[in-house]
Amino acid sequence: MGYQERDYYRGADAGSSYTSSVAVKLIVLNCIVFLANLFFGGPNNTLTAALTLRPDTLAEPWRWYQFLTYGFAHSPEGLWHLAGNMLGLYFFGKPLEDRFGWKEFLRFYLLAIVLGGLVWAVRSWSLNSYLVANFGGGPKFGGLLGASGGTVAAIILFCLLYPRATLLLMFVIPTPAWVAGLIIVLLDMFSSRDLVAHDVHLTGALFALTYWYFGWNFSRLPGMTGISTMFKSLGKAMKAKPDLRVHDPEAYYEDLDAEADKLLEKMARDGAESLSKRERRVLEAYSRRMRQKHR
């Protein structure tokens, strides 16, 4: 059975081309940001630095956009980090997009990134504050960057939806999806001596578990229909509207009387056979009005 026939490749947007896939567009955007920083970011990696999330962003509302943008930034030295995230996003995000539709998948993916960044920032800020208060200082936390939070959320949701699907662990070992998902979670739970933000991964996994367990769909949340209608109404309001034509009964009857007088003169001069079908209808309307007027 080919992958096109599998149930997890069906949905509202099943069969959509690669160019219309939001997962592919997210991958392209991540690669563009990576290359733009590589070639134009300068020695200080200006673009990546501007997108990277830092703990003190919590106290600086003008930089809250970084809770989202960090998920599109990767270190210039982290090509394999980018490649791993994008492969995961493609192989697991595309089936989710085909199942839920591109809008719902995009909402899920972006929210996973924001939640992961928020948890990381709160944890880093709190730990920094604790170290300063009790020890007069401590290790300073760097920035957070990378799409891992959204990618891990997509992988875990796929494993929950299709636990018996066969995945190639390390691209070699055939493994049931539920086992692969469990291995990913356990590695993040018990690996702490590296530069990987495991709390972001675990937040993505927990978000995926919650989404799956409660059967969430953000397009059906209370108020979403009203918000959608509001934006549609705003869009219509911004479009140019044709001039309104207000119906004036008095003006209409005055025009009718004037035209009827001309047609009666024509009929008296040239005979009834000279009238066109439209002119006959005008006289019929005039005749009805006269009868109603003299009742």
Side-chain angles (χ1 to χ4, degrees), residues 210-226:
T210 307
Y211 184 93
W212 167 80
Y213 183 81
F214 291 103
W216 284 350
N217 189 307
F218 297 122
S219 65
R220 297 196 295 265
L221 285 178
M224 287 300 294
T225 302

Side-chain angles (χ1 to χ4, degrees), residues 49-79:
L51 302 179
T52 299
L53 177 65
R54 291 177 174 77
D56 53 2
T57 300
L58 280 170
E60 300 175 351
W62 59 90
R63 289 202 291 124
W64 282 357
Y65 66 88
Q66 294 173 344
F67 284 105
L68 179 62
T69 59
Y70 84 88
F72 295 87
H74 293 79
S75 170
E77 293 79 27
L79 179 60

